[in-house]
Amino acid sequence: MQTIFSDAAGAKFSPRSMRDVWYTGTKRLTATQRARLAASGLSVHHVPLIETRLTHREIPIHTFDWLIVTSQTAVPALRDVPRDVRVAAVGEKTKQALEAEGFTVSLMPKTYTGEALFHDLATVVKSDEVVLFARGDLANTAHMTQLENVHDWVVYETIGRELTETEVEALEGIEALLVLSPSAVRAITPYLEHFHGTWYAIGEVTERAVRKVSTLPVRVPECYTMDALIQCIGEDFS
């Protein structure tokens, strides 16, 4: 007997009618997020394109006024950082990860990008204040020039992986790619002749990376969060 599912609006569809999408982030989707996508008739396959690992590099300075964090991936490396430092976080998820470790976030931009974060910081950091930027090895460092006394600390590195033959074959039938970083875009670039669907990029930085390598449609949510991205793709496929 064939199983029939119902979406949030009560419309019915069978597993055969579900459309395949790849979620390429390193972290697994929550049960709620997967359920929202399934309710839109989407069959989600978790295919991580990158992995991250801590560098375990020593902190370059021990006295500073501000800590900049542009990814929640950096948070586990901050164990020995004083909790009384003022912290600038790139977005809500990074802010939550920092607060869970006892930090108080003093600044978060309205637009969740490193560019916006440094722009806002430049208006509040005083010339005699010292700033520490805890980042991944592929993070954009061009914005650091906006601050007078900023120190660089690479706390994690990003490694792309090759797709298996089975994954390359499956990519031909994928209707949507959910990508969360330029690193993920770079990792899948060698296989783009096999992809004919729509890109779903979490923000404008990732969108720019996609447009450099592909002419296929790109969708970006107004708010640069995973939940907003899921809502965007859900609305498109419902």
Side-chain angles (χ1 to χ4, degrees), residues 36 43 57 74 80 101 115 148 151 160 172 221 227:
R36 289 175 61 190
S43 178
R57 294 183 186 178
D80 298 328
E101 294 299 322
E115 181 179 3
E148 293 188 29
H151 295 259
E172 295 277 356
D227 286 337

Side-chain angles (χ1 to χ4, degrees), residues 57-66 80-85 130-132 151 153:
R57 294 183 186 178
E58 291 189 8
I59 190 169
I61 54 175
H62 294 283
T63 302
F64 48 96
D65 303 286
W66 282 91
D80 298 328
V81 174
R83 276 11 183 206
D84 59 350
V85 68
V130 179
V131 180
L132 178 62
H151 295 259
W153 184 23

Side-chain angles (χ1 to χ4, degrees), residues 69-82:
V69 186
T70 55
S71 171
Q72 57 184 309
T73 305
V75 175
L78 309 178
R79 180 176 54 190
D80 298 328
V81 174

Side-chain angles (χ1 to χ4, degrees), residues 189-200:
T189 296
Y191 311 98
L192 291 187
E193 64 183 84
H194 301 281
F195 177 57
H196 314 287
T198 300
W199 295 84
Y200 286 81

Side-chain angles (χ1 to χ4, degrees), residues 38-203:
S40 298
L42 301 173
S43 178
V44 185
H45 307 271
H46 186 200
V47 184
L49 296 176
I50 60 172
E51 63 179 35
T52 59
R53 60 190 179 195
L54 299 182
T55 62
H56 301 291
R57 294 183 186 178
E58 291 189 8
I59 190 169
I61 54 175
H62 294 283
T63 302
F64 48 96
D65 303 286
W66 282 91
L67 172 69
I68 302 174
V69 186
T70 55
S71 171
Q72 57 184 309
T73 305
V75 175
L78 309 178
R79 180 176 54 190
D80 298 328
V81 174
R83 276 11 183 206
D84 59 350
V85 68
R86 280 170 289 179
V87 180
V90 73
E92 188 61 39
K93 291 297 184 181
T94 302
K95 177 176 181 287
Q96 292 173 3
L98 286 161
E99 290 177 341
E101 294 299 322
F103 291 99
T104 299
V105 174
S106 303
L107 185 147
M108 185 179 73
K110 291 183 179 179
T111 302
Y112 298 165
T113 66
E115 181 179 3
L117 179 61
F118 275 90
H119 177 271
D120 289 356
L121 265 174
T123 66
V124 298
V125 174
K126 299 176 182 177
S127 60
D128 61 343
E129 290 183 321
V130 179
V131 180
L132 178 62
F133 180 20
R135 67 176 181 90
D137 62 324
L138 300 181
N140 187 345
T141 59
H143 309 307
M144 293 173 63
T145 58
Q146 298 181 59
L147 304 175
E148 293 188 29
N149 194 359
V150 57
H151 295 259
D152 194 14
W153 184 23
V154 178
V155 298
Y156 70 90
E157 57 186 3
T158 304
I159 304 166
R161 75 171 183 85
E162 295 182 0
L163 296 184
T164 65
E165 290 185 10
T166 300
E167 288 170 337
V168 172
E169 183 179 348
L171 186 57
E172 295 277 356
I174 299 303
E175 297 198 34
L177 275 176
L178 281 68
V179 286
L180 310 187
S181 69
S183 303
V185 176
R186 283 191 289 270
I188 202 165
T189 296
Y191 311 98
L192 291 187
E193 64 183 84
H194 301 281
F195 177 57
H196 314 287
T198 300
W199 295 84
Y200 286 81
I202 200 166

